[in-house]
Amino acid sequence: MQISDLPYPDPGVPDARSGPRFLLWLGRGQLGGQLKSLCWGMLHFGGVAGLPYAVGLGIDAVVDREANRLLLVGGLLVLIGVAISVGDAMLHRTAVTNWITAAARVQQLLARKTAELGSALTRRVAAGEVVAVSTGDVEKIGWFVEAVSRFLAAVFSIVLVCVGLLFYAPELGVVVSVGVPVVALASLPLLPRATRRADIQREKAGRATELASDTVAGLRVLRGIGGEELFLGRYREASQEVRKAAVRSARMWALISAIQVVLPGLLLITVVWYGASLALDGRIAVGELVAAFSAVATLLYPLRHFEEIAMAYSFSRPSAQRAARVLSLTRTDAAERPAQTAPVAEPAAGGDLYDPRTGLLAPAGRFTAVVCGDPDLAGRLAERLGGHAMEEQDADRDGEREAEDGPSVLLGGVALDDLELHAARRLVLVQDKDPVLLSGTLRELFDVPSSGAVDSGAALAAAQCADVLDALLQSAPEGVDDPMDARITERGRSLSGGQRQRLALARSLVTDPEVLVLDEPTSAVDSHTEARIADGIADLRAGRTTVVLASSPLLLDRAERVVLIDDGAVAAVGTHRELLHREPLYRAVVTRETDEEQRLAGLGMTQLEEALTEIEESA
């Protein structure tokens, strides 16, 4: 795999059962790159391992005054130098390629999962954790994939040095062969503690990142209530906790690094002392002593990779665990769904939208309004109607979280969860109550997949965006005379909440899906504009299935069919005016009646007068 081949045409289906399994899956996907890196690493480290023996042969040639042999040793040193240089350069190139390709694969998988889950992702995983996984964790995972081949090549060179010494200078070779494993494994008992400290640091860093993202997202509200200093203090405390945890983690890793320096130094001193005594006794030649000394000295370089692979795995394992947790999420809320042997055919046009869990039916081609007393339930229902729904969680008596499983929403009798993701998204579009506007021109904002039946002008008119166009044109640079070429800032921050909401509604109308689900599309606009928007939606979506979750009488009165959801199930169906007269619960939700007002509304005149007298006397 070359960097130029990125991104992958298909990043594959990851093994997300655990962090180590995910790392193993990544490694298997890059065997070719790992083998290339290993071969170049063996060339590089093999040259490093062979250098001491060449030096020893050269010294023996000088002592024996053999010029021809010294010349051959010089040529050997040149070859070893070339092998070290070329191997090092190519090892670095291939190892970095492995790192980038692994990171790119993980980022592609995360991007695909984000697109699959949509807004349901942040209901299961905190926003700060998502940011940490897609940035820092990806880098750590790539680091481990990169370090594996270098570590294996380093192990190869260490084995080569030890075996070579056993043949070249057996007495010193035994000492080195015993001492090197001790040095390599000496820091192993400290790794669990270092890993725990690193996990604590990452956990605190994730909380600080989440707090920072929440603060930035709500900065306008914080300024309105004067809460900037409060949240600044909270973030300052969180950042100091991260700093303290980082210092504690760094101390442990510094101790491990010190061990990797001290113990090889002690081994080198032992080899020199013992080798010198052997040389004085005439049991080894001077060249053998120099070769043994050089071999142990060069071992310091490959031994560092034991520390690197330990650190890389310790840091990447929890990162891979978090990435696997995100990648294991599914867009369906059923714990187990039978595997499809063949792709499910798309439903025929004109099918009804039906939710078996709540009993909600949205007839094809009609404007249906849904009223829920619980705003959170309305949001979950909107996501569910679009096939985005995931495991909904409610607290039980013991405070634990339990998943509620249920059948999928049906469109024309076909379960949305059984359709291909792109087909489900094309058939049913959900606009939540807090839509996001991406930065760019207004023309780019409306450059979305659509049927082509609705142009941007008609959608903007239906969403009552005339004042938004004027505002964008006034703030546009000189020379821009078409509001469609005016730029929108990040998340539309230069616009008011109502303006952003109307632009998002117009974008949804342009797509012209078979089923459009809108969650509180007019919550941020005034009543006059809301009435015109209700008419615009009804006119533009005539003959198309439209579901609006709202409690505004202006929208409800324009709907052809109104459904009341109570306690997670359909409680009543009718028109807005019919439900106002016959359903006290519906009237309470729509008109915001208090319990006392509801009780008084159900009394006769005589009872009403008596109740009022009681209220006055109690007052």
Side-chain angles (χ1 to χ4, degrees), residues 369-373 520-522 530 548-556 576 586 589-592:
V370 180
V371 176
C372 298
E520 295 287 355
T522 58
E530 185 177 31
V548 177
L549 291 95
S551 59
S552 169
L554 295 172
L555 278 173
L556 298 174
H576 170 60
Y586 178 83
V589 174
V590 173
T591 63
R592 274 73 169 178

Side-chain angles (χ1 to χ4, degrees), residues 112 248 255 295 326 405 449 496 527 609 613:
R112 185 174 68 179
R248 292 187 73 249
L255 177 60
V326 174
D405 297 333
S496 67
S527 57
E609 291 176 358
T613 302

Side-chain angles (χ1 to χ4, degrees), residues 247-331:
V247 170
R248 292 187 73 249
S249 178
R251 286 174 180 169
M252 185 57 63
W253 288 112
L255 177 60
I256 293 175
S257 297
I259 291 175
Q260 293 296 320
V261 172
V262 172
L263 292 185
L266 293 176
L267 177 61
L268 184 61
I269 293 173
T270 301
V271 169
V272 171
W273 174 78
Y274 183 56
S277 63
L278 293 177
L280 290 175
D281 294 340
R283 296 164 63 182
I284 62 172
V286 176
E288 294 175 339
L289 174 60
V290 173
F293 170 78
S294 301
V296 175
T298 55
L299 282 179
L300 298 179
Y301 172 50
L303 281 173
R304 293 176 189 169
H305 291 79
F306 281 80
E307 177 190 356
E308 182 193 19
I309 195 66
M311 291 183 66
Y313 181 73
S314 298
F315 279 90
S316 65
R317 182 186 56 78
S319 296
Q321 186 66 44
R322 284 194 292 270
R325 176 171 176 252
V326 174
L327 295 174
S328 64
L329 300 175
T330 60
R331 70 185 179 100

Side-chain angles (χ1 to χ4, degrees), residues 166-214:
L166 286 174
F167 287 97
Y168 187 71
E171 293 175 307
L172 290 177
V174 171
V175 174
V176 174
S177 299
V178 173
V180 166
V182 174
V183 172
L185 302 177
S187 58
L188 193 61
L190 299 177
L191 287 179
R193 183 177 299 179
T195 302
R196 285 195 299 270
R197 292 189 179 185
D199 289 343
I200 293 173
Q201 175 195 349
R202 283 188 290 270
E203 181 181 352
K204 292 182 179 296
R207 286 201 295 265
T209 302
E210 183 178 352
L211 180 59
S213 61
D214 290 343

Side-chain angles (χ1 to χ4, degrees), residues 413-431:
V414 178
L416 289 180
D417 290 346
D418 293 338
L419 292 174
E420 293 291 337
L421 180 61
H422 67 88
R425 294 293 182 268
R426 178 171 50 81
L427 292 171
V428 183
L429 174 66
V430 177
Q431 177 181 306

Side-chain angles (χ1 to χ4, degrees), residues 1 4-12 105 108 112:
M1 172 61 69
S4 58
D5 297 328
L6 298 175
Y8 288 98
D10 179 13
R105 185 192 293 270
Q108 280 186 257
R112 185 174 68 179

